[in-house]
Amino acid sequence: MVNSLLIISIVIAIAIQYTSQKIYSQKLNGKGVLCFSALACAVAAIFFMCQIKLPLNFDVALIPYCVLFALGFGSTVLFSVLAIANGPLSLTTLISSYSLIIPALYGLIFLNEKVSFFLIIGFLFLFVSLYLINYTKGDNKINLKWLLYVALTFFGNGLCSSTQKVQQINFSGGYKGEFMAVSLIIIVLALFIIILFKEKQDIKISVKKGIIPIVVYGLANGFVNLLVMVLSNKMSASVMFPLVSAGSITLTYIISRVIYKETLSKMQNIGFVLGLASIVFLNL
């Protein structure tokens, strides 16, 4: 019962993250994306800092992992906002989740992990799904700008997952909170430096119009990562991740259809279903 409630909570929190990005992009018409990313990461960093027990337990050997994770996570937050502002919420969520293939490939190439039947099926479904999503005409034709942003989100998310996986292996599952907090602080500092040159004029309006979705995203992100860490000690990853991935993608799809009235073509809907199946198989 407890595990089921945790799964449901994670699914809802992930959907809230994507929805808050959509709300922000609508409020500011695609402006202030750097401000959103920096402030949302600052909220998430504070969330994780509150979880760290004093005295601080930190190993300087974590720093390269923190820098890599910061690069990946910062890119994911930034480009996912841009992708959602320029294309369908449902497909952005789906393709972002495809980034699971990056840590999977890393494990096969560098960690000598075995190729499973489920992994092969997952890859096949993924490629067919990508083809069908792009096989569209007229109003549902894929926007090239959206495609670029969602591709960058995909690679950023993949870098996050791969770095986190290697860090946990090399440090025997330790420093979870410290790793996340330091990584997020690096992102915040880097983004605020860029903002001074690129979006200084948007800071005031970003805070005035977008503070609620910013705070909601940051808290939801911290909440998701914390619950995943808790649940990973209670449930097998092969069960947890398929449920979380499938649930969050499905819920975001429903939100995009019901609230934002997004419509996909028949081919895109078939591609979406195959993509959802692909995510489940890749997690098994």
Side-chain angles (χ1 to χ4, degrees), residues 103-116 165 169:
L105 288 173
Y106 181 90
L108 292 174
I109 297 170
F110 297 104
L111 302 178
N112 297 316
E113 294 179 353
K114 294 181 179 180
V115 179
S116 68
K165 181 176 183 176
I169 291 172

Side-chain angles (χ1 to χ4, degrees), residues 45-92:
I46 293 170
F47 182 93
F48 276 102
M49 288 171 70
C50 292
Q51 312 302 319
I52 298 173
K53 295 180 181 179
L54 296 176
L56 181 64
N57 182 25
F58 186 79
D59 189 333
V60 291
L62 280 169
I63 293 176
Y65 299 94
C66 292
V67 171
L68 276 176
F69 185 87
L71 179 62
F73 188 79
S75 299
T76 300
V77 177
L78 175 62
F79 292 115
S80 61
V81 179
L82 289 167
I84 289 169
N86 287 276
L89 174 63
S90 56
L91 295 184
T92 299

Side-chain angles (χ1 to χ4, degrees), residues 24 28 30-39 78 81-82 191-206:
Y24 182 87
L28 280 92
K31 294 181 179 179
V33 291
L34 288 170
C35 293
F36 175 91
S37 304
L39 293 171
L78 175 62
V81 179
L82 289 167
L191 286 175
F192 271 118
I193 291 172
I194 298 172
I195 286 169
L196 292 176
F197 295 96
K198 294 287 186 180
E199 282 187 2
K200 189 176 181 180
Q201 72 282 359
D202 293 329
I203 296 175
K204 187 176 180 180
I205 192 171
S206 295

Side-chain angles (χ1 to χ4, degrees), residues 135-195:
Y135 187 76
T136 54
K137 298 178 181 180
D139 293 337
N140 290 334
K141 193 172 183 179
I142 291 299
N143 181 327
L144 289 178
K145 185 182 286 188
W146 171 79
L147 194 60
L148 172 62
Y149 291 142
V150 83
L152 291 170
T153 303
F154 168 87
F155 287 112
N157 209 19
L159 179 59
C160 283
S161 303
S162 300
T163 304
Q164 202 167 28
K165 181 176 183 176
V166 176
Q167 185 272 326
Q168 287 296 288
I169 291 172
N170 291 345
F171 289 85
S172 302
Y175 305 103
K176 290 185 178 73
E178 294 84 355
F179 170 71
M180 287 297 299
V182 172
S183 299
L184 289 166
I185 290 170
I186 291 172
I187 297 170
V188 173
L189 292 175
L191 286 175
F192 271 118
I193 291 172
I194 298 172
I195 286 169

Side-chain angles (χ1 to χ4, degrees), residues 43 68 155 226 282:
V43 173
L68 276 176
F155 287 112
L226 180 63
L282 287 170

